[in-house]
C-alpha cells in the first residue's frame, strides 16, 4: 500500500499508536497511515485496487481500508489536519495535504502519540520529545490543541492504567481545567475509554491516580463517596487483585470487563451503581451482569451453605457464571469459602450459568392442562421445587409434575365435598 501511495505522489508515514507500541516493544494492532502531499480523492484512487475503502469523514480526510490480503487487515489512512480557525477551541480540524508534519503532530493528544515514522527512509520524526516520555513513563500533552477534545483526559486514564504511566505536572493542571467540559462528551466515546481501562488496564491504580490528580474523580459521585468513606485505598487494592485474577484465569473480553467493573463498584449500593454505570455509559447487559455480582457478593456469609442455597444462587446469578461470582468473592473477601460453593455448583451441574427449568409449558400441555393464567404459577412452583432439589432430571421432573397435579386434584375434590 505504501508503494501505491508513493507512486501516486503521496508521502506516507506511520503515526500514532502503532509507532508508540513498536517503541514499547509491543505488536502494533491498529495501523494508522498519514499521507502528505496528496488530496483525498487521488489518495482514495491509489488504494482502491488493494481493498475496500470507506470514507469515515471526507472533510477530515479519513479513509478506512480493508485489504484484500486474505486476512481482512484493517488500516486507517488519513490526511494531516490543521485547525480551520486558530485560537477557537470549538473549531474543527480540516484535512490539508499541504500541512507540515510538525504542525499535524501538534494537534495530537500526548507526546507519545505524536511520533511519526517514515518506513521508506527509516526515520523517526519526534518533534515533542515523545520517545523520552515513553522511556520515562510520562504522559505529557503536546500543546494547547489538547483542550479541543476533553475526552483526552479519560484517554490519559486508560493509557496510565495500561502501562503504569503518570501525568506530567503541567498536564495534570491542564486536564483539571477541562473538567467542566466533561458533560458535553458523547456517551459512546466516554464508554470507549472506560472499556479500555477495564479490558487493558493492567495497572488500574495508575489510571485511578489520573482521575484523582486531575479532579475528574469528583465528576463521579459514587467514586468520590468511596473517598469520603475511607474506602478508596481498599478499592485500589482490590482492583489490583482483580487484574491478577483476570491474568491468572486468562480472562478477556466481556468476562474480564465485567469482573473489573464489578470490583470497582463492589462497595456501591444499587443506586450508586446505577448512577456510575449511567455516567460511564456502560451497555445495559454489562451493567446488569456487574449488578448481579455486586448484589450477590456476600451471599456466602448470609446464607447457610447447602445444595439448595447453591442452586438458588446459580438461578439468581444467570446469565453470570458461578465462576465469575467465585472470582469476585476471592478478590473482595479472600478468606471466604467461595471455592466450596463453586465445587458444589459444579457437582450439581449449576456452575455454567443459566439454570434451565426442567418443567416447561409443553409438559403442562402434555399433562392435559388447558393454557391459562394458572400456567405461570405452576411453572413458578415447579422452578422452586427444582431449586429445592425435589428433582434434577427430566424423568424426575415429569414424575414430580404428575404427583403434584394429582395431589392438587385430590385437594380440590376434598374441598368441594
Amino acid at each position: 500500500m505504501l508503494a501505491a501511495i508513493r507512486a501516486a505522489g503521496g508521502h506516507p508515514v506511520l503515526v500514532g499508536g502503532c509507532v508508540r507500541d513498536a517503541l514499547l516493544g509491543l505488536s502494533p494492532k491498529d495501523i494508522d497511515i498519514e499521507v502528505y502531499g496528496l488530496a483525498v480523492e487521488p489518495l482514495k484512487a491509489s488504494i482502491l485496487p488493494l481493498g475496500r475503502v470507506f470514507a469515515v469523514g471526507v472533510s477530515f480526510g479519513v479513509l478506512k481500508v480493508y485489504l484484500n490480503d486474505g486476512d481482512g487487515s484493517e488500516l486507517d489512512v488519513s490526511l494531516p489536519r490543521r485547525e480551520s480557525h486558530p485560537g477557537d477551541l470549538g473549531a474543527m480540524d480540516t484535512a490539508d495535504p499541504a500541512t507540515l508534519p510538525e504542525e499535524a503532530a501538534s494537534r495530537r493528544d500526548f507526546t507519545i502519540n505524536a511520533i511519526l515514522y517514515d518506513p521508506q527512509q527509516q526515520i523517526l520524526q519526534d518533534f515533542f520529545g515523545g520517545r523520552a516520555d515513553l522511556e520515562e513513563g510520562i504522559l505529557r500533552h503536546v500543546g494547547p490543541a489538547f483542550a479541543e477534545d476533553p475526552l483526552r483526559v479519560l484517554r490519559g486514564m486508560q493509557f496510565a492504567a495500561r502501562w503504569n504511566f503518570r501525568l506530567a505536572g503541567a498536564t495534570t493542571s491542564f486536564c483539571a481545567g477541562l473538567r467542566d467540559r466533561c458533560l458535553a462528551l458523547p456517551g459512546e466515546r466516554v464508554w470507549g475509554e472506560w472499556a479500555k481501562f477495564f479490558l487493558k488496564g493492567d495497572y488500574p491504580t495508575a489510571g485511578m491516580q489520573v482521575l484523582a490528580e486531575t479532579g475528574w474523580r469528583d465528576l463521579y459521585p459514587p467514586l468520590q463517596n468511596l473517598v469520603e468513606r475511607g474506602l478508596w485505598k481498599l478499592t485500589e487494592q482490590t482492583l489490583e487483585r482483580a487484574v491478577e485474577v483476570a491474568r491468572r484465569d486468562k480472562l478477556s473480553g466481556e468476562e474480564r470487563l465485567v469482573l473489573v467493573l464489578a470490583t470497582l463498584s463492589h462497595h456501591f449500593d444499587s443506586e450508586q451503581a446505577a448512577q456510575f454505570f449511567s455516567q460511564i455509559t456502560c451497555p445495559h447487559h454489562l451493567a446488569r451482569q456487574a449488578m448481579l455480582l455486586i448484589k450477590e457478593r456476600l451471599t456466602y456469609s448470609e446464607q447457610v451453605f447447602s445444595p439448595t442455597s447453591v442452586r438458588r444462587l446459580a438461578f439468581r446469578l444467570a446469565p453470570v457464571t458461578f465462576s465469575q461470582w467465585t472470582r469476585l468473592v476471592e478478590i473482595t473477601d479472600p478468606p471466604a469459602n467461595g471455592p466450596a460453593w463453586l465445587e458444589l455448583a459444579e457437582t450439581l451441574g449449576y456452575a455454567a450459568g443459566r439454570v434451565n427449568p426442567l418443567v416447561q409449558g409443553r409438559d403442562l400441555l402434555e399433562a392435559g392442562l388447558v393454557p391459562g393464567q394458572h400456567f405461570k404459577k405452576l411453572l413458578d412452583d415447579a422452578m422452586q421445587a427444582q431449586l429445592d432439589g425435589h428433582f434434577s432430571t427430566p424423568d424426575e421432573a415429569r414424575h414430580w409434575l404428575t404427583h403434584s397435579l394429582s395431589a392438587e386434584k385430590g385437594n380440590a375434590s376434598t374441598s368441594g365435598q
Side-chain angles (χ1 to χ4, degrees):
M1 172 179 289
L2 298 180
I5 294 173
R6 283 193 287 266
H11 177 205
V13 296
L14 301 179
V15 297
C18 63
V19 180
R20 176 200 68 215
D21 290 350
L23 292 174
L24 285 171
L26 305 173
S27 298
K29 293 183 179 179
D30 300 319
I31 305 299
D32 295 321
I33 301 172
E34 197 163 69
V35 181
Y36 292 83
L38 192 63
V40 66
E41 289 304 325
L43 171 61
K44 184 176 181 181
S46 72
I47 57 181
L48 266 175
L50 305 176
R52 293 175 296 139
V53 181
F54 299 92
V56 177
V58 175
S59 63
F60 300 113
V62 180
L63 303 176
K64 182 76 69 175
V65 184
Y66 299 90
L67 295 178
N68 297 328
D69 58 359
D71 297 326
S73 300
E74 179 181 333
L75 306 174
D76 282 343
V77 181
S78 63
L79 300 184
R81 287 172 284 184
R82 61 157 40 111
E83 191 178 1
S84 57
H85 299 285
D88 181 1
L89 291 183
M92 301 295 290
D93 289 354
T94 56
D96 185 350
T99 303
L100 296 176
E102 183 172 357
E103 181 183 355
S106 72
R107 313 219 58 73
R108 295 189 172 271
D109 50 14
F110 297 100
T111 60
I112 63 171
N113 293 328
I115 307 172
L116 286 64
Y117 177 68
D118 185 332
Q120 183 181 35
Q121 300 181 23
Q122 298 185 350
I123 294 176
L124 277 175
Q125 293 181 290
D126 182 8
F127 304 104
F128 304 102
R131 192 167 190 177
D133 285 342
L134 270 179
E135 293 172 354
E136 296 181 29
I138 293 176
L139 293 170
R140 189 188 314 276
H141 69 293
V142 175
F146 186 96
E148 294 171 4
D149 186 4
L151 186 79
R152 289 167 166 175
V153 180
L154 295 182
R155 193 171 300 151
M157 171 197 71
Q158 58 100 350
F159 282 162
R162 286 162 68 178
W163 307 304
N164 199 22
F165 280 18
R166 67 188 186 279
L167 289 182
T171 301
T172 299
S173 301
F174 199 91
C175 291
L178 302 177
R179 189 177 63 176
D180 292 341
R181 298 173 59 195
C182 172
L183 297 179
L185 293 171
E188 65 275 9
R189 297 186 68 216
V190 170
W191 171 245
E193 301 305 326
W194 276 100
K196 289 176 183 176
F197 170 82
F198 296 126
L199 288 169
K200 302 180 180 182
D202 287 339
Y203 305 92
T205 298
M208 292 294 98
Q209 189 66 23
V210 168
L211 288 186
E213 291 177 348
T214 60
W216 278 55
R217 184 177 60 190
D218 299 349
L219 297 170
Y220 302 94
L223 295 183
Q224 188 58 27
N225 182 257
L226 295 177
V227 178
E228 296 167 359
R229 294 163 62 194
L231 295 172
W232 184 251
K233 182 60 65 175
L234 177 61
T235 298
E236 290 184 326
Q237 292 170 352
T238 54
L239 278 173
E240 296 291 337
R241 285 202 294 268
V243 168
E244 292 173 4
V245 170
R247 187 183 300 116
R248 179 197 69 195
D249 293 350
K250 297 180 172 57
L251 302 185
S252 61
E254 289 189 358
E255 199 170 23
R256 171 181 166 133
L257 191 155
V258 169
L259 181 65
V260 181
L261 172 61
T263 300
L264 175 59
S265 314
H266 76 277
H267 282 303
F268 296 166
D269 59 31
S270 59
E271 183 176 339
Q272 291 169 331
Q275 180 184 16
F276 180 66
F277 298 159
S278 175
Q279 280 192 291
I280 64 176
T281 327
C282 179
H284 177 73
H285 71 289
L286 299 178
R288 178 171 177 267
Q289 291 180 47
M291 192 79 80
L292 285 169
L293 286 172
I294 297 169
K295 182 179 180 181
E296 299 293 347
R297 181 175 67 89
L298 297 177
T299 294
Y300 73 91
S301 65
E302 298 170 346
Q303 297 183 14
V304 176
F305 176 57
S306 68
T308 296
S309 295
V310 167
R311 281 189 292 263
R312 289 187 174 278
L313 175 57
F315 179 71
R316 294 194 303 271
L317 280 174
V320 178
T321 66
F322 223 97
S323 295
Q324 277 288 74
W325 175 82
T326 305
R327 291 186 187 105
L328 183 64
V329 170
E330 174 189 355
I331 292 163
T332 59
D333 304 275
N337 63 339
W341 285 67
L342 175 60
E343 183 178 355
L344 182 54
E346 291 173 339
T347 300
L348 297 172
Y350 283 81
R354 187 174 301 279
V355 178
N356 295 317
L358 293 173
V359 175
Q360 301 184 29
R362 63 173 177 268
D363 299 306
L364 302 183
L365 294 174
E366 291 175 0
L369 297 180
V370 178
Q373 293 183 346
H374 60 295
F375 263 40
K376 183 180 184 306
K377 181 180 184 308
L378 290 171
L379 292 174
D380 288 344
D381 290 345
M383 190 70 243
Q384 294 306 313
Q386 179 179 335
L387 295 175
D388 287 338
H390 292 297
F391 53 84
S392 58
T393 68
D395 287 341
E396 292 176 355
R398 283 190 289 270
H399 178 76
W400 176 90
L401 180 60
T402 300
H403 177 77
S404 296
L405 292 176
S406 296
E408 187 175 309
K409 289 179 180 178
N411 291 335
S413 299
T414 301
S415 62
Q417 290 180 355

